Amino acid sequence: MFDLTGKAAIVTGGGSGIGAAIVQRFRAAGAQVLVADISPRAEALAEQWGCAFRRTDVGNPAEMAALCEEAVTRFGGLDIMVNNAGIAAAAPLADADEARSQRFWRVHILGVQAGIRHAAAHMTAGGAIVNISSITAVRGFLQWGEYAATKAGIISLTQTAAVEYGPRGIRVNCIAPGIIDTPLAMDEAPDMVARNANVFTLLGRIGRPEELAAAVHFMASDDASYVTGQTLLVDGGWSTGTSVKGIELALSTAD
């Protein structure tokens, strides 16, 4: 199931966290993978996983074009593009910083837009593009406005790309993670992040990168051949409603 034998894939931000889990799952399913990342340690990891590597700044359209061209040169084609690379930082809207906002825009919007455009230029019918958004794109979160705005833009780009590339048989979908145990999520305040996951998700726990990778794997595979333009929230149920623990906390606080 979800066999990727003979498929050629690119995973941006593939050197750690969710991206690394996607790369390893794709390799186990038989795909050839080109890992794109800016981290110096990502190249060694890619070699360890049996993957090709290209240092890529996703916010630079020329580098994204070169990345997709390299995949075609190495593998003879391109079947799957995963636009996963991202950055994160929290700040109140009252403290919005123009430089930080532009960085979010460059990585999340221009990067995904370039990833879609340049990958699709090399794809034939059956190609699949999967973009990574966030739960913050679909509900408000304190101090995450700058980040959330660009993650919401990824959902919009996904929908538009699905419309435009559908006639060519290229599918474009999106995964919106909740709280996942990755360096990006856990570096600043791991105890708070874990506590939020425990209280607010319906499943009462933090998600694992491998669980996100499974969802991406499905969307990228031919088993999802009639799925396009969709955003799948992989968030432990957080976006669905208030958890029992959340209700109990609210009631105890009110008392």
Side-chain angles (χ1 to χ4, degrees):
M1 189 179 291
F2 308 165
D3 182 31
L4 300 181
T5 301
K7 302 281 190 180
I10 293 173
V11 179
T12 69
S16 65
I18 293 170
I22 294 168
V23 170
Q24 292 174 80
R25 181 154 181 137
F26 278 11
R27 286 293 294 141
Q32 300 178 90
V33 183
L34 175 55
V35 176
D37 208 300
I38 59 172
S39 169
R41 64 186 295 269
E43 184 171 7
L45 288 173
E47 183 178 354
Q48 177 183 321
W49 299 328
C51 301
F53 174 81
R54 184 181 181 95
R55 189 190 185 282
T56 306
D57 175 0
V58 299
N60 183 327
E63 291 193 22
M64 290 297 282
L67 173 69
C68 294
E69 289 167 2
E70 178 167 339
V72 173
T73 299
R74 282 180 174 273
F75 305 141
L78 179 59
D79 305 290
I80 300 166
M81 177 67 169
V82 181
N83 290 303
N84 166 74
I87 56 175
L93 288 175
D95 297 333
D97 177 79
E98 182 177 348
R100 185 175 58 234
S101 295
Q102 288 180 348
R103 187 164 175 247
F104 279 129
W105 181 267
R106 189 171 66 85
V107 173
H108 293 163
I109 298 299
L110 295 183
V112 171
Q113 181 176 281
I116 293 170
R117 178 162 59 94
H118 293 298
H122 296 287
M123 288 179 171
T124 58
I129 298 171
V130 184
N131 304 318
I132 307 299
S133 178
S134 165
I135 186 179
T136 62
V138 298
R139 61 179 299 173
F141 282 85
L142 183 68
Q143 300 188 355
W144 286 92
E146 292 174 292
Y147 172 86
T150 53
K151 285 296 188 176
I154 292 174
I155 294 177
S156 182
L157 284 171
T158 298
Q159 293 169 336
T160 300
V163 171
E164 294 187 359
Y165 292 109
R168 289 180 47 197
I170 297 171
R171 299 181 299 103
V172 188
N173 288 293
C174 185
I175 303 294
I179 299 180
I180 307 300
D181 188 2
T182 68
L184 192 65
M186 302 295 282
D187 275 353
E188 292 189 11
D191 291 341
M192 183 187 71
V193 171
R195 185 170 63 251
N196 284 345
N198 181 58
V199 172
F200 295 113
T201 68
L202 304 189
L203 297 180
R205 65 173 176 84
I206 198 166
R208 300 187 302 274
E210 294 77 12
E211 293 174 305
L212 258 295
V216 173
H217 185 186
F218 168 67
M219 286 296 196
S221 74
D222 291 339
D223 295 83
S225 59
Y226 202 53
V227 181
T228 195
Q230 302 304 304
T231 296
L232 175 63
L233 280 95
V234 183
D235 64 355
W238 194 347
S239 59
T240 300
T242 306
S243 69
V244 172
K245 288 182 180 179
I247 294 170
E248 290 173 346
L249 177 63
L251 292 173
S252 65
T253 303
D255 292 341

